[in-house]
Amino acid sequence: MSANHNPSALLLLPPPSAFSFEQVKEAFESSLVDVLTRLSGGSDDSKIALLDIALVLPISPGGKPRAKVFAQLQQYLTSVYSLVGAICATHSIELDTPGGIDTRVVFVDYTHGEPIKASDSPQFGPVLDLPSLANSGRSWDHIFHLSNTLGKDLASAFVQAQSRGDTKARLQAITSNPDWTIPQPLLIPDNQPSKPHSSVIVGGTFDHLHLGHKLLLTAEALALEPLDQEARLIVGVTGDALLVNKKHAEFLEDWEQRWKSTSSFLAAIMDFTPDKSSPEIERSAAPKTVIVKIQPKLTFEFVEISDPFGPTITKENIDVIVVSRETRSGGAAVNEERLKKGWKALTVFEVDVLQSGDAVTTTEDFESKISSTEIRRRRAHLAKV
């Protein structure tokens, strides 16, 4: 293993019995404790261990267009990220810092017992098929699966889906609960009119990228529907000038650091091409903008925000805005301004907030994992020690 190698692992999770935090906790808590503890204990203090969590469940054909199942998928996503944060708070496991774990969650569209088929067209996450995951070329040191029947069946399907290399030596069974019953169907599409979306926007500070940011960015990617035309994710990143009054501002990352870490995370959950090349990067000013071409039909665009609306009122051709439940009023305000300009209103997708339930001892422990302010406060404290 290279001295510069970050420890890495893939965790395969079969469908839960339901997507609520309580049900996800019941199904996966012991398994996640096992994996997170192993990765934390095995990484040296200068490395960040990488953990890809694959949530495997049948999404097609009922989940077409994806907007029809967005609410349920984001609930599942929120529950998993909440559980990761709660476990790490309880067990004093660091996240996204040296000596800690960088966790990324994606969805895998696979139905147990059906033939394993690769998509005819190039895929990008955060929803992909099993062969695309198995043949992504990611060199995980460990591939973890649950030790119950559901987990063993999924591990077997993963091996069958692989057409290159050999993963058997890296497959490891971990602690798990006994099998549970998976409702049929598990995903129930809503009956609201919907269509695929090729351009989605989200905004934020994205300072010291943490689980809350990852949830929001993954939900943005989830709202993007693969089409024949170019798919574009737009991320408004708050400019440095608007952040001077933030608490512990001296420990804020600058705009360049923040867009780069955001882009790196999005690439990790979206680009599963086995033979990657360096992305094409184009920059422009006024407003400061970085365009990153990840694949021929997948582009990230990072725009500096200097006002409450950012690119939502300077770019007409946007389909969707993703907001958290805490900032839903921002989506309404954006649409008011767009309508004043005679533009179409954006479809607003809401994302739940992370919750710890009764899984942690104190709220402060949980907040330390999901708050940029808390991360900066801890760094300020360490600087004084």
Side-chain angles (χ1 to χ4, degrees):
M1 183 181 294
S2 167
N4 295 320
H5 177 83
N6 286 322
S8 63
L10 170 67
L11 172 59
L12 299 167
L13 292 181
S17 59
F19 300 130
S20 68
F21 177 77
E22 292 74 17
Q23 294 298 106
V24 169
K25 179 175 180 288
E26 181 179 347
F28 301 133
E29 182 177 26
S30 61
S31 303
L32 280 166
V33 168
D34 191 352
V35 168
L36 291 166
T37 302
R38 290 192 199 195
L39 288 178
S40 174
S43 61
D44 82 36
D45 290 341
S46 65
K47 307 287 189 218
I48 300 178
L50 305 176
L51 175 61
D52 290 323
I53 300 178
L55 307 179
V56 181
L57 72 165
I59 297 174
S60 300
K64 294 289 185 180
R66 198 182 294 164
K68 286 187 172 292
V69 292
F70 177 87
Q72 291 170 285
L73 293 181
Q74 72 80 26
Q75 182 189 21
Y76 189 17
L77 185 69
T78 302
S79 295
V80 172
Y81 270 128
S82 293
L83 185 57
V84 168
I87 289 169
C88 289
T90 300
H91 294 266
S92 300
I93 297 172
E94 290 297 321
L95 286 169
D96 303 302
T97 58
I101 301 171
D102 176 7
T103 305
R104 301 91 66 100
V105 181
V106 296
F107 294 94
V108 176
D109 184 5
Y110 168 68
T111 302
H112 174 67
E114 292 193 357
I116 299 172
K117 294 182 180 179
S119 173
D120 294 331
S121 58
Q123 285 204 317
F124 52 79
V127 178
L128 62 159
D129 58 36
L130 195 58
S132 294
L133 178 70
N135 298 296
S136 63
R138 297 192 179 188
S139 299
W140 295 291
D141 300 312
H142 312 282
I143 300 174
F144 297 116
H145 65 88
L146 306 195
S147 56
N148 58 21
T149 303
L150 289 169
K152 291 175 182 176
D153 288 347
L154 181 52
S156 176
F158 183 86
V159 172
Q160 291 176 43
Q162 192 177 49
S163 61
R164 45 193 283 171
D166 181 15
T167 62
K168 288 184 179 179
R170 289 176 280 147
L171 280 168
Q172 296 180 47
I174 56 169
T175 304
S176 66
N177 286 349
D179 290 315
W180 51 84
T181 301
I182 302 171
Q184 298 297 331
L186 177 59
L187 275 177
I188 303 174
D190 65 42
N191 56 9
Q192 298 299 314
S194 59
K195 62 179 182 178
H197 304 288
S198 60
S199 180
V200 183
I201 190 168
V202 73
T205 302
F206 302 111
D207 175 53
H208 295 96
L209 205 73
H210 55 66
L211 294 183
H213 297 138
K214 292 178 178 182
L215 170 62
L216 190 62
L217 291 166
T218 308
E220 181 195 19
L222 191 59
L224 191 69
E225 189 81 14
L227 295 171
D228 291 335
Q229 64 193 97
E230 181 186 50
R232 181 173 291 252
L233 287 183
I234 304 170
V235 182
V237 181
T238 308
D240 295 337
L242 294 183
L243 303 177
V244 293
N245 294 323
K246 288 275 189 182
K247 289 182 179 179
H248 310 295
E250 67 273 24
F251 290 94
L252 275 162
E253 296 176 318
D254 63 26
W255 192 86
E256 192 76 6
Q257 290 173 296
R258 289 182 284 122
W259 84 254
K260 284 182 177 178
S261 61
T262 303
S263 180
S264 177
F265 172 74
L266 285 172
I269 64 168
M270 298 192 75
D271 187 9
F272 287 84
T273 52
D275 302 310
K276 295 178 179 61
S277 57
S278 298
E280 300 174 18
I281 298 178
E282 178 184 331
R283 293 174 178 262
S284 60
K288 192 185 325 182
T289 302
V290 180
I291 296 174
V292 183
K293 194 84 167 180
I294 298 295
Q295 296 179 17
K297 291 186 177 181
L298 176 62
T299 298
F300 303 157
E301 183 173 341
F302 302 93
V303 183
E304 183 181 37
I305 294 178
S306 56
D307 59 55
F309 302 105
T312 59
I313 61 169
T314 60
K315 294 180 178 292
E316 183 176 2
N317 294 324
I318 305 174
D319 300 324
V320 173
I321 184 170
V322 175
V323 300
S324 72
R325 289 275 166 88
E326 296 173 318
T327 58
R328 61 172 58 169
S329 61
V334 161
N335 278 335
E336 286 182 15
E337 294 300 311
R338 287 179 64 89
L339 292 173
K340 288 177 185 177
K341 297 168 74 77
W343 294 356
K344 70 175 182 180
L346 301 178
T347 301
V348 180
F349 283 0
E350 288 188 6
V351 182
D352 295 331
V353 295
L354 295 175
Q355 56 174 313
S356 63
D358 59 356
V360 296
T361 306
T362 68
T363 302
E364 289 77 13
D365 289 337
F366 187 69
E367 285 292 321
S368 72
K369 305 298 180 185
I370 64 168
S371 164
S372 295
T373 301
E374 275 299 301
I375 292 170
R376 294 196 302 273
R377 184 194 64 75
R378 289 169 62 200
R379 296 197 173 196
H381 174 73
L382 289 172
K384 294 176 181 178
V385 174

